């Protein structure tokens, strides 16, 4: 089944639509400040799918490319920073779509990248990842876990689907919580009623994972709303500054990293 993708190169390369027949998958939160964003601006959460690079959390928040204009040449969009160039080519496939990425930077350059997709999901939606997959929970989950949170720990580790006693497989209704997690897996299948969305990431020798952001009206504290992120990721942490030796992607001696995000509407549950 086809997937139709619309992007906005002028405003950070943001994906503004990811649609299968009869279904828009991306959640939106209109905010006029999103179109005014410039490098260094505070992140504006307008939904859709943001390209987060070279970090997700941390500095700059949600990375350095969501606020930069991209340029389009043929089928390829590109964005340039002070020390990198990132290119993206999206194409339709018989089963959905593929997005190919090429990063050019100095050998040794470390980064995290995420396809920060905020999905419009019902309370009954389910997330399918490999049972037993190592799963990191981040401090906003401290009140939900089945053990005391270690002082100063940037994360704790459990196993999918209920790491440290937090059931993550079901999205659920709004309950005033927000949980961030990173699962050691290269693919995920989202079920919502009869609809399916499969996402898979391949990146050679680079670390791949799936980041999750389950916000059921728990964030931000002053004006909470519901948003649910399913985010194929290079790296294993949200914040590049917290990445250990094996937690971030790294540019090899060639000066180039390539990866592919594959999307489809046929369930390939892990």
């Amino acid at each position: 089944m086809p997937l139709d993708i619309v992007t906005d190169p002028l405003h950070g390369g943001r994906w503004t639509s990811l649609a299968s027949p009869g279904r828009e998958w991306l959640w939106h939160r209109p905010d006029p400040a999103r179109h005014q964003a410039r490098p260094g601006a505070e992140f504006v959460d307008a939904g859709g799918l943001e390209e987060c690079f070279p970090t997700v959390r941390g500095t700059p928040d949600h990375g350095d490319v969501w606020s930069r204009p991209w340029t389009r040449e043929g089928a390829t969009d590109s964005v340039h920073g002070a020390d990198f160039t990132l290119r993206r080519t999206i194409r339709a496939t018989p089963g959905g779509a593929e997005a190919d990425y090429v990063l050019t930077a100095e050998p040794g350059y470390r980064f995290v990248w995420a396809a920060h997709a905020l999905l419009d999901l019902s309370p009954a939606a389910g997330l399918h990842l490999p049972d037993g997959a190592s799963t990191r929970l981040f401090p906003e989950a401290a009140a939900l876990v089945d053990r005391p949170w270690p002082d100063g720990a940037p994360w704790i580790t459990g196993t999918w689907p209920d790491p440290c006693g937090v059931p993550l497989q079901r999205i659920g209704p709004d309950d005033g919580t927000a949980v961030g997690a990173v699962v050691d897996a290269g693919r995920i299948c989202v079920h919502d009623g009869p609809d399916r969305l499969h996402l898979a990431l391949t990146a050679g020798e680079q670390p791949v994972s799936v980041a999750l952001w389950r916000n059921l009206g728990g964030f931000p504290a002053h004006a909470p709303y519901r948003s649910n992120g399913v985010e194929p990721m290079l790296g294993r942490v949200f914040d590049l500054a917290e990445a250990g030796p094996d937690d971030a992607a790294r540019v090899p001696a060639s000066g180039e990293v390539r990866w592919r995000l594959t999307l489809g509407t046929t369930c390939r549950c892990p």
Side-chain angles (χ1 to χ4, degrees):
M1 186 179 296
L3 279 168
D4 292 326
I5 296 171
V6 179
T7 64
D8 185 355
L10 184 61
H11 300 105
R14 177 171 167 256
W15 301 32
T16 58
S17 180
L18 173 62
S20 54
R23 171 77 186 240
E24 172 58 59
W25 284 97
L26 294 180
W27 170 86
H28 294 279
R29 178 176 173 267
D31 189 327
R34 180 64 183 83
H35 282 179
Q36 309 305 318
R38 298 293 182 269
E42 183 178 352
F43 181 66
V44 180
D45 188 4
L49 185 156
E50 302 281 9
E51 301 280 356
C52 292
F53 171 92
T55 190
V56 181
R57 298 182 183 178
T59 304
D61 187 19
H62 286 73
D64 192 36
V65 303
W66 73 270
S67 58
R68 293 181 179 271
W70 296 45
T71 58
R72 178 165 291 173
E73 184 174 348
T76 299
D77 296 329
S78 61
V79 61
H80 304 277
D83 50 4
F84 66 85
T85 296
L86 179 63
R87 296 181 174 86
R88 177 189 68 195
T89 305
I90 300 174
R91 64 178 62 83
T93 67
E98 293 175 344
D100 285 328
Y101 293 82
V102 182
L103 171 69
T104 305
E106 287 294 320
Y109 181 91
R110 298 180 80 226
F111 66 95
V112 171
W113 166 87
H116 186 278
L118 293 176
L119 303 184
D120 187 6
L121 300 177
S122 76
L127 308 178
H128 293 257
L129 288 146
D131 284 346
S134 179
T135 303
R136 291 177 174 178
L137 292 174
F138 291 79
E140 60 271 8
L144 304 176
V145 300
D146 58 8
R147 65 201 71 179
W149 194 274
D151 288 344
W155 63 77
I156 61 174
T157 303
T159 55
W160 185 265
D162 53 356
C164 306
V166 181
L168 288 180
Q169 190 169 21
R170 289 288 173 191
I171 295 297
D174 291 0
D175 61 7
T177 66
V179 177
V182 175
V183 186
D184 189 9
R187 58 194 175 107
I188 183 172
C189 194
V190 181
H191 294 198
D192 197 3
D195 301 319
R196 303 290 183 265
L197 180 65
H198 179 260
L199 304 100
L201 184 60
T202 53
E205 299 300 316
Q206 304 292 344
V208 299
S209 61
V210 177
L212 303 173
W213 172 242
R214 192 183 70 183
N215 176 24
L216 304 177
F219 177 89
H222 68 282
Y225 50 84
R226 177 187 178 93
S227 60
N228 291 287
V230 175
E231 309 169 23
M233 174 185 279
L234 290 184
R236 299 189 179 98
V237 292
F238 288 109
D239 189 343
L240 178 61
E242 297 177 345
D246 299 321
D247 293 333
R250 186 185 297 269
V251 176
S254 66
E256 186 177 276
V257 180
R258 293 175 177 265
W259 64 94
R260 172 174 289 178
L261 175 63
T262 302
L263 307 97
T265 55
T266 299
C267 184
R268 302 178 190 175
C269 293

